[in-house]
Amino acid sequence: MAAMRTTTVLLLLAVFIHDVGGQKALSLDEKVRNLQESLYKKPVMNLNMDRWKTYVRTAPRNYSMIVMFTALSAGVNCPICRPAYDEFHIVANSFRYAYPELKSLYFALVDYEEASNIFQQMNLNTAPVLYHFPAKGGRKKSDQMDFQRHGIDAEAIAKFVQDRTDVQVRVLRPPNYAAPAVVILLAMLVLGLLYMRRNNLEFLYNRTSWGLICLCIVFAFMSGQMWNHIRGPPFVMTNPKTRETTFVHSSSQFQLVSETYLVAVLYAAVTAGVILMNDAVDGKGDPSKRRIMAFVGLGMVVIFFSLLLSVFRSKYQGYPYSFLFH
Amino acid sequence: MTAGLAGLLPLRMSFEKQETMIKIIILSLAAITAFSVRLFAVIRFESVIHEFDPYFNYRTTRFLTEEGYYNFHNWFDDRAWYPLGRIIGGTIYPGLMVTSAIFYKILHFFHFTLHIREVCVFLAPLFSSFTTIITYMLTKELKGEGAGLVAASMIAIVPGYISRSVAGSYDNEAIAIFCMLFTYYLWIKAVKTGSIFWSALCSLAYFYMVSSWGGYVFLINLIPLHVLALIFSGRFSHRIYVAYSTVYVIGTILSMQIPFVGFGPVQSSEHMAAFGTFGLCQLCAFAGWLRSKMSEENFQVLFKSVIAVAGLAVFGGVAVATFLGKIAPWTGRFYSLLDPSYAKNNIPIIASVSEHQPTAWSSFYFDLQMLVFMFPAGLYFCFKKLTDHNIFIILYGVTSIYFAGVMVRLMLVLAPVMCILAGIAVSSTLNTYMKNLDVSQKQRGKLAKGGDRNYPYKNEVAWGVVAILTGFLMTYGFHCTWVTAEAYSSPSIVLSARTGDGGKIIFDDFREAYYWLRQNTHEDAKIMSWWDYGYQITAIANRTVLVDNNTWNNTHISRVGQAMASPEEHSYEIMRELDVDYVLVIFGGVTGYSSDDINKFLWMVRIGGSTPEGSHIKEHDYYTPTGEFRIDREGSQTMLNSLMYKLCYYRFGGVYTEQGRPTGYDRVRNSEIGNKDFELDFLEEAYTTEHWIVRIYRVKPQENRGQK
């Protein structure tokens, strides 16, 4: 038993050694065959240092390589890398679908986490970068795709590929069933709930709930949640030197998430004060309770409005009006 | 006591008459305020048209008054987009121009010989006054006269509306808000009465709205949405059937008469909601008729089978369309359109225009002040007393706040409904508490005797509330005036700045340069400038431009960008190709005017390099190796030798601009320029304005006998 295990290990070792030794002397045919096998498995080949040297850097080549250098791991702060890679993957997939046996063009990927030394070798300090390594001759300046100008769309990448290699890739986007599925599921959920309660649909005509929904929408929009959604500002800002945390950004061109919540609460409080003041008179309850309601409403309006003004003043330098608080 | 009060008035009037008189006084005061608060720019500078687009509108209006409507309609403009030209008549909304021309004709009929420019300048404030009155009428229909008066006074000075309607901002929005509210008023009338008369009037108002602003699409979706909401809340009636059917049919036929709109109302997807609702309306009415004619069981059977057949038909239609490739509901892109951030992330031309930015909370407060918390309260009151027409105003409020949140310029659509709902809130608060005020001791005694079951200190609380509300309304007035004076009253064609000792300097360089062109150049001279100034040059200087603010042809703009970004000898070839006689650049280095051409230069490089002819222009050539955009000695050589750089800084190297600084110190970029001593080979300086803001160069003719 023990002997057998040793042989297995030895065998494995032998295979390994053979492999390493063989890679050095891979002929052109073997390289193409390996690449072709990899292409059958997946459209984009992941390059580590060895493969990078073998398939891209070593001389006998009759095929072009399109290599994307990127950083996909979560630790690296690169928000554009993931969508750029997705678009790149779409192009590679479309290519594989159209020309599975072309043997003159391959797509590959270098991830910073797996092979940061390739980045150093290529003298790259940004990601993502897309290079074309032509079959013959050295790399020219135009063999780098300009993401700044052309964008990261699959169509733009396909155009770049066509420019450099004369291979026309028709971009086929995989159908995305996720969004419609979610929509249909939601619709079915709502309809199902309605069906369960089909004998009692009165709640649909309940004004108070509709009114509350409308008020929530109004407060969300007036406090700039749409701005947050589009621009994605940080929640709070911390000054790196003084370690002070600011909740309200001091420019009117920018806002933090925290201040929008603060403002939404202030708006809601002032509005609630106004409504309380009105309901105090309309109501038919206990007179002393109604008096308290009126007082509370009045106080809320005054205090929260002054707070709102002081928040606004801290954003608009030189705004001349204030009330109660400074 | 009542007799004594009436006795104070000069005429002995009945209470109703007194009330009417007070109403008229308040309303006319509000209208006058609306007009006069918009005159800051006229008083500070002079009666002048603002900014860029209004100059185009002014030019077309002048053409309309001089040449008549038919020539206007068939106008092919050869002064813009040389050598392409532009068809004007069929590519604009003519409502604004026709309105001004009518005012002009009426005034001239009565021998008030005003220049058409004055009509254009004062049109926006005049229509704001009309808006004030129409807001009163609309709010009166919704709630009552008191609320109407409050809403009218509020809309007179709300900054969100003033920002686009000050004297001189002669743009479509100036009259469109009036048209929109007028259409709403007539729609509410039509819904209330269910008469064809009001519905037909409503569609006429809708026609006016369509003729004046592309924002009519909001209106043609809001009214069907109202009808839908009424159908689903079980409030559908014959009144609504008559109102909507009439408005939709007449309104659609009328709106198709505008050449620019054309067949849009029956073809494009944004009008399909209205069409679908029209069909649903007919079905609902038909179902109601059937129900009245047959037994309940038979009706149910019929109803269910019709629903099933219709559902199958829709499903089959979608399947066939998908199969034929007409629609593609399964790609991710289709759904990303529902996300408002889609356009911002994926369409750069929308992302680059500041008017298309989302709205931060501070601009909501800046433009609406106390309305931001009175509006939700008004919404709450509407929900408490739900009626057919209240549903309309709720829908208007909620949809418009969505649009205002996505795009800052749509604050304009939100401002009126804010005023209306805040007016309702303020007036109902005042109404409830004014009743509790004890104005005289006599009344208080009477009330106490009557065993009043109200709470103690009622009078004091009422005083407090009324005082606070009055205070709020006063701060609203102060705020609006301050915002208007500070933020919304600069014409941007005439600039003003403060000197160190607090004095005021006026920079009138733009008009100076345009008048120079008008007086000193050949009538057919072609002026090359960046597209921002195209409308102003054609309108004031009356010369031909290559590109203007109507940015419809990207390759042509790109060619101009290439000429500006290339070195001089290459630019000369492009300019010869485009027949350019003069080049005009805007330069702020002397005065510190920051939106000049050097600061816009990167856009020229980007746009110039975006077409095949501009493949030699690469953005990174214009940066320093460290990736900065600089104009001093560190700057890249491509930048320092580009045509734009040379035209801006020609002879600037010998000028002192600021104390304690070397010559050639640029006050916008705060640095000393890198390329000081150079001559121009293919151009010569023709004119530079007083503060160097506009510089004009003549393109030299080719050598008579080839190169020396």
Side-chain angles (χ1 to χ4, degrees), chain A residues 169-199:
Chain A
V169 182
R170 211 176 121 239
V171 174
L172 303 166
R173 280 181 188 278
N176 181 2
Y177 295 105
V182 167
V183 169
I184 288 171
L185 269 180
L186 266 179
M188 278 169 68
L189 194 73
V190 169
L191 287 178
L193 279 177
L194 287 182
Y195 187 72
M196 302 274 276
R197 298 197 53 175
R198 64 185 175 281
N199 297 323

Side-chain angles (χ1 to χ4, degrees), chain B residues 434-494:
Chain B
M434 281 299 225
K435 270 186 277 178
N436 294 357
L437 280 186
D438 288 351
V439 276
S440 68
Q441 289 298 320
K442 215 195 271 175
Q443 270 178 334
R444 176 184 274 184
K446 213 187 281 170
L447 278 174
K449 259 183 240 161
D452 180 38
R453 51 180 199 83
N454 267 316
Y455 51 85
Y457 299 114
K458 178 177 148 188
N459 185 32
E460 284 72 11
V461 171
W463 272 114
V465 170
V466 171
I468 287 292
L469 264 187
T470 318
F472 273 159
L473 290 173
M474 277 165 65
T475 53
Y476 176 71
F478 285 130
H479 173 94
C480 294
T481 322
W482 180 79
V483 168
T484 312
E486 292 293 313
Y488 294 138
S489 295
S490 48
S492 96
I493 188 159
V494 188

Side-chain angles (χ1 to χ4, degrees), chain B residues 207 362 469 651:
Chain B
F207 171 62
S362 56
L469 264 187
R651 290 198 301 117

Side-chain angles (χ1 to χ4, degrees), chain B residues 310-524:
Chain B
L312 273 179
V314 168
F315 183 76
V318 169
V320 166
T322 315
F323 187 69
L324 293 176
K326 297 279 181 206
I327 54 172
W330 305 117
T331 49
R333 302 203 156 198
F334 179 76
Y335 286 91
S336 57
L337 280 174
L338 297 175
D339 181 12
S341 51
Y342 173 79
K344 306 291 183 307
N345 299 332
N346 294 290
I347 306 171
I349 198 120
I350 290 181
S352 72
V353 179
S354 67
E355 281 182 338
H356 294 167
Q357 303 299 324
T359 317
W361 78 265
S362 56
S363 17
F364 272 111
Y365 186 83
F366 192 71
D367 278 350
L368 302 162
Q369 216 247 354
M370 70 177 287
L371 307 184
V372 290
F373 48 82
M374 284 304 179
F375 166 70
L379 211 58
Y380 173 82
F381 292 136
C382 282
F383 269 108
K384 266 175 78 178
K385 288 197 199 86
L386 219 52
T387 55
D388 289 356
H389 36 275
N390 275 351
I391 291 180
F392 178 76
I393 206 76
I394 289 168
L395 287 173
Y396 176 24
V398 174
T399 48
S400 66
I401 203 161
Y402 170 79
F403 289 116
V406 177
M407 220 189 259
V408 74
R409 67 181 288 193
L410 292 179
M411 187 71 87
L412 183 72
V413 179
L414 176 67
V417 69
M418 278 265 183
C419 292
I420 291 168
L421 282 174
I424 290 173
V426 169
S427 105
S428 62
T429 314
L430 280 178
N431 250 338
T432 43
Y433 281 93
M434 281 299 225
K435 270 186 277 178
N436 294 357
L437 280 186
D438 288 351
V439 276
S440 68
Q441 289 298 320
K442 215 195 271 175
Q443 270 178 334
R444 176 184 274 184
K446 213 187 281 170
L447 278 174
K449 259 183 240 161
D452 180 38
R453 51 180 199 83
N454 267 316
Y455 51 85
Y457 299 114
K458 178 177 148 188
N459 185 32
E460 284 72 11
V461 171
W463 272 114
V465 170
V466 171
I468 287 292
L469 264 187
T470 318
F472 273 159
L473 290 173
M474 277 165 65
T475 53
Y476 176 71
F478 285 130
H479 173 94
C480 294
T481 322
W482 180 79
V483 168
T484 312
E486 292 293 313
Y488 294 138
S489 295
S490 48
S492 96
I493 188 159
V494 188
L495 310 163
S496 77
R498 298 241 167 251
T499 54
D501 54 353
K504 192 170 159 191
I505 328 174
I506 301 268
F507 299 132
D508 204 357
D509 288 37
F510 287 103
R511 292 195 295 170
E512 182 188 342
Y514 298 146
Y515 278 115
W516 184 88
L517 281 175
R518 192 186 184 102
Q519 302 294 339
N520 295 285
T521 59
H522 186 263
E523 205 183 330
D524 288 329

Side-chain angles (χ1 to χ4, degrees), chain B residues 71-89:
Chain B
N71 285 332
F72 173 72
H73 184 72
N74 295 325
W75 183 16
F76 180 79
D77 181 17
D78 56 355
R79 292 267 138 145
W81 290 96
Y82 179 84
L84 308 168
R86 178 186 172 189
I87 303 160
I88 300 268

